[in-house]
Amino acid sequence: MNTPAVPGIDPPPAAPGGEASQTLDRGLRLLRLVAEAPGGLTVTEAANRLGIGRAAVYRLVGPLVGHGMLRRDADGRLRLGTGVLHLARRAQPLLADGALPALRRLAEQAGATAHLTVVEGGEGVALAVVEPSWTSFHVAYRTGARHPLERGAAGRAILAGRSGQSGPVSTVGELQTGAYGVAAPVCGVPGLEASVGVIALAPLDAEAVGAQVLAAATAIAEDLTDSSARAGWS
């Protein structure tokens, strides 16, 4: 019997391998369902969305909990485990490398330090930073720098993306006195909360630089989506 498709989370074409292949497919789909449920899922909810019985979900949950991919909270709801964070950290260099071409273009266009910021542990983390080559002075922004999402254009853009807003966000002096920032969320990439932005020591043209930042964020999102499609996960 074929596994029913989950709306919005269609699995990749089934590969030969019988029961083991089907179990792996269901386990991966379960991880994606939990990742896309901010409040977690009960076993019953997971079973209904996967189109399988509760007993089958329990059989999937056991190994995933054992490997740290899932955990059960005090109310018994399924949530992502810390093992997913370890995998994500190992994938971050690939994400940073993929974003560099768009960040280089942005830094040169805006004449400001460009950056890709991702969410980790409830904070914004600068994953990739590119400085412009032609300016006399620019902001030194360290890769790995962390800051609250409520402060700075990068974090505020991520929060805006959570509420469905995709436009650029501007701030002044929130992370560094006298620094100006413009950022836009990276939208449409499942499982990724990120923003692209620039930071400068002088006021930025919000309209012109905002359009450049938005174009860079869109380019990175499209590149990540295309990569996902080539891997068979779109």
Side-chain angles (χ1 to χ4, degrees), residues 4-214:
V6 179
I9 313 181
D10 293 334
E19 185 176 346
S21 177
Q22 183 184 65
T23 300
L24 175 60
D25 174 70
R26 286 174 172 175
L28 292 173
R29 292 168 62 201
L30 176 59
L31 281 175
R32 295 186 70 183
L33 282 170
V34 174
E36 294 173 3
L41 290 176
T42 66
V43 170
T44 299
E45 290 170 340
N48 290 338
R49 296 189 188 188
L50 288 171
I52 61 179
R54 285 167 48 90
V57 173
Y58 278 114
R59 288 195 293 271
L60 296 173
V61 168
L64 291 172
V65 170
H67 287 282
M69 299 293 112
L70 289 180
R71 64 182 175 85
R72 301 187 71 176
D73 64 17
D75 296 325
R77 301 182 71 83
L78 301 174
R79 297 180 182 273
L80 291 182
T82 56
V84 173
L85 291 177
H86 294 313
L87 289 179
R89 290 192 184 101
R90 285 162 175 76
Q92 284 182 352
L94 298 176
L95 174 58
D97 288 345
L100 285 177
L103 292 179
R104 289 193 185 100
R105 288 194 300 271
L106 177 60
E108 296 301 306
Q109 290 172 339
T113 301
H115 52 84
L116 172 69
T117 298
V118 299
V119 176
E120 183 178 276
E123 295 181 305
V125 179
L127 186 60
V129 176
V130 176
E131 298 174 348
S133 63
W134 56 271
T135 56
S136 299
F137 301 97
H138 53 258
V139 175
Y141 192 42
R142 181 175 57 84
T143 300
R146 308 179 72 94
H147 55 80
L149 295 179
E150 296 79 13
R151 293 179 57 196
R156 292 187 180 277
I158 289 172
L159 294 177
R162 286 181 180 177
S163 62
Q165 303 174 43
S166 59
V169 175
S170 301
T171 59
V172 179
E174 291 194 355
L175 292 179
Q176 185 174 329
T177 302
Y180 297 79
V182 179
V186 177
C187 301
V189 183
L192 176 68
E193 283 192 303
S195 68
V196 172
V198 294
I199 184 170
L201 294 171
L204 296 164
D205 184 327
E207 183 175 351
V209 175
Q212 294 165 353
V213 165
L214 187 57

